[in-house]
Amino acid sequence: MISFERVTKRYPDGTVAVSSLSLEAPDGAITVLVGPSGCGKTTSLRMVNRLIEPTEGRILVNGVDARQQPAAELRRGIGYVIQQAGLFPHRTIVDNIATVPRLLGQSRSAARNRAFELMELVGLDKALAKRYPHQLSGGQQQRVGVARALAADPPVLLMDEPFSAVDPIVRKGLQEEFLRIQAAVAKTILFVTHDIDEAVKLGDKIAVLRQGGILAQFDTPDRLLAEPADEFVEQFLGTDRGIKRLTFYTANGLNLLGGPVVAADTEPAAAREAALSGGFPWLLVVDEQRRPLGWTNPEALSGSQPVGKTRLVSFGHVFRADTDSLRAALDSAVLSPTGWAVGVDAEGGVIGVVSQETIADAIRAAHATQAHVDVAVGDVEGEPAAEDAGPEDRSLEQAR
Amino acid sequence: MSVFDLPSYVQNDYLGLMGQQIEVSLGACAAGLAISLPIGQACARWRHAYPPVLVFVTILYSIPSIAMFVFLVAYTHLTETTVFIPLVIYSLAILVPGVVDGIRAVPPEVRIAADAMGFGPARRYLQVELPIATPTIMAAVRVAAVSSISLMSVGGVLGNLGGFGNLFTQGLRHFEIRLVWLGLFSLLALALAVDLALRALQRLLTPWSARRSVRA
Amino acid sequence: MILFHYFRVFFGEAQVQHGYDSIWHRLGEHCWYSLIALVCAAVIALPLAFLTGHTGRGDAPIAGLAAVGRAMPSLGLLVLLAVKMGLNFQAVLIPLVALAVPPILLNTHEGIRGVDTATVDAARGMGMTPLQILLRVEIPAALPLILNGLRSASVQIVATATIAAVVSFGGFGRYVLDGLYEYDYAQVAGGALLVALLSIAVLGLFGVLSRTLVSPGVRRRVQ
């Protein structure tokens, strides 16, 4: 756990970068510091490993005041990842990753073995081990930076905008990899970003800071989006925070209809029959593996061709019925020319389809349940205790 | 008797020495610049030409001046040209990289914008690229000028071809330490004056550039 | 060509092949004293430049010192010290070292200063002490520029040691000076050629050094 106790940073010329910051970053979770430039988020982060010393207040890392130890020793127990990676240009990738273990006295072979393990963990091809940083892409360099920070297995990780310097596609991949890694290693992480979407996506708790290093709100992402503390936070969250909230509701409980799904080789007469009896305005045509091909209008069906051979309307994109959020489902429905979303399983086979209206009902229900749970559970940090949540807790699962 | 009165064995008076010094060393620097501008432009344009040119010029620069003077004496005998040509060659080692760096300092977006606005290649070179490259090039010119001034003094060993350097050889031969001090101060003062003059010239040529001085 | 004629005459002479005035002896003199001067200059300049480069202070004084070093005439310094101290080795060593310090100082300082701040920040954040950062990160990353400075200094020393023959120093400059006084142009040309070859050999040596010592990740590619 990382505790800030009324931490202040005042510079000689009078500027206050951080003002009486107090918060507790819980163990094994990702705490995100987010805010506009000048809000002191990077300064706060760098005070944890004493790259900057606080003027007032103190910081406790796992219960111990950071100033108890010599700074260099403290830092060897804390992983540090920065925006430009800061890899050593004169060392190979594997030697870069092995740096802290070597600093701590491990033998070169032991450190290198550990480095290889970590390369696998962060998804780097072993063939890159003997290369030099300048030969790697930006995304690869960032992965090396993360691997290097994890090498000595520190309990705490500090990350300063690690994914900001790469392009959006690479960034998305890195974010997802990062969540996967965290699920495996469960470190206590303090993560700085200026991007509220990244904060919502990655954070277990989010601290929103305003200019001058003042804490505006410290909450779980869901509650942050639901109840911003003031106008500043609301503006910072952006105008689509309602939609953003939907990422926290899983689509798992949605009632998907299998009726409108027909195989490609169905005869048009049979198809029309199915549509009439079910009252379906559209039919989804699938192939032998139940993969979606497109929508067809049953009333426009004529002739003797099986439905698969007729002109089909594009189905847009699908959502994973078991793991995706209501937001993904809604997006799929809105994008679809027919207004219906297609839910698939892990192999891409269609489970069922759902209309925008059904999704809207599900959203309303989720909001209502959330309000109940808020009242029942009160102000608990982290995951709600198992016995407090009723059968509705499925809707509250954080779906990313 | 003033400090600037020179004994007869120096075979020149103070102003004569100063004239020879300025004429040869700064003239060589100017000639070097005239040669470096096209070479540098070519190297900036054709990237693979640069490394061999750089290596060649570096090798020439490493050859001690006395050796170069001696090689030339065989052809140009004991004239000022014997000192002039090697000084030009030495200045190339400083000026060619300077010109190349200066031209490379022009942001590609600026070039593209100039083209898009309809600048022809010659006008673009003169009105856009060269002005932007000037601070870097001028920094190199300052280095080359100061180096030329001090390198020339070795010419005194050959004969009376070293400008103020003559004072060193004559001062040693006749054990007149006054001449040596005079030579040292004159050279350093001249170097300082030239450096300041070139800085002023640079500010004149590029009034738009930052006040912070370019590291020489 | 007349130069080649001179070379042939010179290298054919018996006296340059063995004995006191032989090429080998002169070569040894020239190299040995140059090496001493280089080591002295490095011992003075390197630690100082490490300090200023690592702390980031001293840009202006070092640039100023480099300018003075460039403006200082080597012949003048040599003559001045010879007149003051006599015709001995110390009188030559001081100018050799004094002229070699500025290039080493300037290049090393710039090299260390020029190491990417993100790299140094990462090294600090990982828990390296300042000395560890200097030795394990900054110096290896700055090595190309450091070697450049040492190379410039070496070339400067070889050239100045040649001129030092004016104040009775040995080495290859001896051939040039003696030849000038004796109007023996073969000797003059031969000496000049030897000096030129030695300088090129020094360049080559540093090229090899650079290839072996500098990490492939740092090697600068001249564009």
Side-chain angles (χ1 to χ4, degrees), chain A residues 216-346:
Chain A
Q217 189 170 358
F218 184 45
D219 237 328
T220 61
D222 188 26
R223 268 220 287 285
L224 184 71
L225 290 167
E227 283 155 45
D230 58 24
E231 203 183 312
F232 163 74
V233 178
E234 210 181 315
Q235 291 229 343
F236 190 73
L237 291 173
T239 48
D240 61 343
R241 59 187 175 88
I243 311 266
K244 284 214 241 288
R245 268 194 85 193
L246 296 181
T247 54
F248 296 106
Y249 302 141
T250 177
N252 208 350
L254 274 179
N255 201 1
L256 298 168
L257 299 177
V261 184
V262 296
D265 50 10
T266 318
E267 297 297 320
R272 246 178 288 137
E273 191 52 52
L276 230 61
S277 60
F280 306 135
W282 291 92
L283 294 176
L284 180 70
V285 181
V286 296
D287 63 13
E288 305 86 47
Q289 284 96 359
R290 274 191 82 85
R291 270 196 277 266
L293 297 171
W295 295 94
T296 180
N297 184 354
E299 289 177 22
L301 282 177
S302 58
S304 51
Q305 291 225 313
V307 290
K309 298 269 197 287
T310 62
R311 264 280 228 58
L312 297 176
V313 175
S314 157
F315 61 88
H317 72 87
V318 302
F319 73 96
R320 280 282 301 275
D322 48 353
T323 55
D324 267 341
S325 63
L326 278 184
R327 181 183 180 171
L330 182 65
D331 195 75
S332 172
V334 169
L335 194 70
S336 165
T338 61
W340 284 68
V342 178
V344 301
D345 60 22

Side-chain angles (χ1 to χ4, degrees), chain C:
Chain C
M1 272 217 294
I2 193 164
L3 258 185
F4 290 127
H5 167 71
Y6 283 144
F7 294 153
R8 239 177 304 125
V9 167
F10 174 72
F11 287 106
E13 273 179 42
Q15 77 164 133
V16 303
Q17 282 164 11
H18 354 263
Y20 186 73
D21 205 24
S22 76
I23 295 181
W24 307 112
H25 180 244
R26 295 284 174 223
L27 175 69
E29 270 183 328
H30 208 125
C31 290
W32 176 240
Y33 292 117
S34 300
L35 193 61
I36 294 179
L38 182 66
V39 168
C40 288
V43 161
I44 295 174
L46 284 177
L48 186 60
F50 289 153
L51 186 66
T52 59
H54 180 80
T55 55
R57 308 249 178 82
D59 279 346
I62 288 184
L65 192 64
V68 169
R70 239 178 270 127
M72 192 66 70
S74 41
L75 181 60
L77 267 185
L78 284 167
V79 168
L80 183 71
L81 259 74
V83 170
K84 289 277 188 180
M85 292 174 61
L87 300 173
N88 50 39
F89 179 53
Q90 292 91 295
V92 169
L93 185 64
I94 293 176
L96 284 181
V97 171
L99 289 168
V101 161
I104 300 178
L105 198 58
L106 183 69
N107 276 284
T108 304
H109 173 89
E110 296 219 344
I112 304 258
R113 273 278 260 148
V115 177
D116 194 357
T117 37
T119 309
V120 177
D121 189 51
R124 267 184 85 208
M126 270 192 272
M128 285 189 174
T129 62
L131 186 64
Q132 283 173 326
I133 298 178
L134 180 70
L135 291 176
R136 299 192 196 195
V137 179
E138 288 178 315
I139 291 180
L143 210 48
L145 272 174
I146 297 177
L147 285 178
N148 246 17
L150 288 170
R151 189 191 71 193
S152 285
S154 302
V155 165
Q156 173 76 14
I157 289 174
V158 166
T160 309
T162 311
I163 303 173
V166 167
V167 292
S168 296
F169 188 68
F172 287 146
R174 190 81 265 134
Y175 292 137
V176 177
L177 261 300
D178 289 346
L180 278 177
Y181 291 146
E182 295 162 12
Y183 297 97
D184 179 359
Y185 291 119
Q187 206 179 66
V188 176
L193 178 69
L194 287 169
V195 154
L197 290 175
L198 179 60
S199 309
I200 296 178
V202 167
L203 280 188
L205 178 67
F206 271 94
V208 168
L209 226 61
S210 158
R211 201 131 300 191
T212 44
L213 291 179
V214 176
S215 157
V218 172
R219 213 170 278 153
R220 267 132 124 261
R221 278 167 262 112
V222 180
Q223 291 134 312

Side-chain angles (χ1 to χ4, degrees), chain B residues 124-139:
Chain B
R124 190 187 75 184
Y125 180 67
L126 287 174
Q127 291 190 1
V128 177
E129 293 176 350
L130 214 48
I132 297 181
T134 297
T136 314
I137 297 179
M138 283 303 289

Side-chain angles (χ1 to χ4, degrees), chain A residues 18-308:
Chain A
V18 178
S19 177
S20 204
L21 180 68
S22 295
L23 61 85
E24 260 178 32
D27 274 328
I30 303 176
T31 303
V32 179
L33 301 179
V34 69
S37 47
C39 71
K41 51 193 193 291
T42 296
T43 310
S44 304
L45 187 85
R46 287 161 69 90
M47 284 198 279
V48 177
N49 66 358
R50 293 176 60 191
L51 287 175
I52 299 178
E53 296 282 7
T55 338
E56 285 165 29
R58 60 183 195 152
I59 299 178
L60 302 175
V61 180
N62 287 328
V64 178
D65 188 340
R67 276 177 289 205
Q68 300 274 43
Q69 282 170 298
E73 213 178 295
L74 170 75
R75 292 170 195 158
R76 289 177 203 176
I78 298 181
Y80 184 52
V81 184
I82 53 177
Q83 190 175 30
Q84 312 91 320
L87 301 183
F88 297 161
H90 59 286
R91 289 203 185 155
T92 56
I93 298 302
V94 69
D95 282 334
N96 256 284
I97 299 177
T99 305
V100 183
R102 290 281 288 149
L103 271 183
L104 291 172
Q106 270 187 39
S107 75
R108 183 175 297 178
S109 47
R112 283 209 177 140
N113 283 336
R114 173 88 180 128
F116 281 118
E117 269 173 42
L118 285 160
M119 283 183 70
E120 208 175 309
L121 179 68
V122 301
L124 280 171
D125 190 359
K126 285 250 171 80
L128 296 174
K130 287 290 178 194
R131 300 252 182 99
Y132 288 91
H134 74 263
Q135 295 170 288
L136 267 55
S137 72
Q140 287 169 325
Q141 286 183 12
Q142 281 306 117
R143 287 172 200 259
V144 176
V146 174
R148 185 174 65 172
L150 290 171
D153 205 22
V156 173
L157 220 58
L158 301 178
M159 305 181 79
D160 189 355
E161 311 219 38
F163 308 138
S164 301
V166 295
D167 67 69
I169 297 175
V170 174
R171 187 182 312 148
K172 185 160 181 290
L174 285 175
Q175 286 167 344
E176 277 158 25
E177 288 276 319
F178 172 62
L179 288 173
R180 178 185 58 78
I181 296 169
Q182 170 67 350
V185 299
K187 299 289 180 197
T188 307
I189 300 181
L190 204 56
F191 189 108
V192 164
T193 178
H194 62 269
D195 179 5
I196 187 66
D197 289 315
E198 188 170 52
V200 166
K201 183 167 179 176
L202 300 179
D204 294 314
K205 299 272 309 213
I206 301 181
V208 181
L209 298 168
R210 66 165 99 245
Q211 286 254 327
I214 304 168
L215 182 63
Q217 189 170 358
F218 184 45
D219 237 328
T220 61
D222 188 26
R223 268 220 287 285
L224 184 71
L225 290 167
E227 283 155 45
D230 58 24
E231 203 183 312
F232 163 74
V233 178
E234 210 181 315
Q235 291 229 343
F236 190 73
L237 291 173
T239 48
D240 61 343
R241 59 187 175 88
I243 311 266
K244 284 214 241 288
R245 268 194 85 193
L246 296 181
T247 54
F248 296 106
Y249 302 141
T250 177
N252 208 350
L254 274 179
N255 201 1
L256 298 168
L257 299 177
V261 184
V262 296
D265 50 10
T266 318
E267 297 297 320
R272 246 178 288 137
E273 191 52 52
L276 230 61
S277 60
F280 306 135
W282 291 92
L283 294 176
L284 180 70
V285 181
V286 296
D287 63 13
E288 305 86 47
Q289 284 96 359
R290 274 191 82 85
R291 270 196 277 266
L293 297 171
W295 295 94
T296 180
N297 184 354
E299 289 177 22
L301 282 177
S302 58
S304 51
Q305 291 225 313
V307 290

